[in-house]
Amino acid sequence: MESLIQRLKTLSSAEDFLAFFGVPFDERVVQVNRLHILKRFYQYLHQTPGTSTLDDVALFRCQRELLTRAYGDFVTSTPAREKVFKVFQDAQGQQSVALTSLRDSLADRRPRSTPPPATPSLAALSPAHPS
């Protein structure tokens, strides 16, 4: 019989994990928060001591509880509030850019007004005629 760890290695999406553990879920919540749910599940797993000593049945129950908790975090909250990913932790859920910074970057991107290239005279374009 395949071990729990081997079976978990075949799962790839949040929906796969939720279905495997039998956690009921709302597809709309998962569509918006799938990466956040899996990352939170991972965090909960690493915060839980003693999981390496559990047999498959106890480990399954423990992981099911942690995944249920991770999913529940995003049913009642938002990714910005939960701050699972570094971008939310660094910016504390908000990002700001100084107006002068925007103005300077736009000025750098505007095409420079340069005089049009000089057009050669017709005499310079025609072949030389001996006089």
Side-chain angles (χ1 to χ4, degrees):
M1 182 175 176
E2 221 178 2
S3 76
L4 176 62
I5 300 300
Q6 289 169 326
R7 290 181 12 216
L8 289 174
K9 287 180 181 180
T10 67
L11 307 176
S12 62
S13 69
E15 291 89 344
D16 289 348
F17 278 88
L18 292 161
F20 178 79
F21 284 107
V23 177
F25 63 94
D26 180 342
E27 187 66 37
R28 293 171 296 183
V29 173
V30 176
Q31 285 175 353
V32 175
N33 300 296
R34 66 176 31 94
L35 295 177
H36 301 277
I37 293 166
L38 290 176
K39 175 74 172 185
R40 177 59 54 88
F41 177 48
Y42 173 82
Q43 290 171 337
Y44 286 157
L45 285 170
H46 285 277
Q47 294 170 359
T48 306
T51 55
S52 62
T53 61
L54 299 174
D55 65 26
D56 277 0
V57 173
L59 184 59
F60 179 89
R61 288 181 181 147
C62 174
Q63 289 182 348
R64 182 181 194 278
E65 179 185 321
L66 297 175
L67 181 59
T68 301
R69 195 166 128 209
Y71 169 74
D73 289 349
F74 295 96
V75 169
T76 59
S77 189
T78 65
R81 273 194 231 128
E82 293 300 318
K83 296 179 173 54
V84 173
F85 288 101
K86 188 173 179 359
V87 66
F88 290 116
Q89 294 164 3
D90 290 350
Q92 296 180 1
Q94 297 179 353
Q95 292 183 339
S96 61
V97 177
L99 185 57
T100 55
S101 172
L102 286 174
R103 192 178 311 127
D104 292 345
S105 72
L106 286 174
D108 291 343
R109 293 178 186 195
R110 285 191 192 128
R112 307 259 186 246
S113 59
T114 56
T119 40
S121 68
L122 287 176
L125 291 176
S126 59
H129 292 281
S131 352

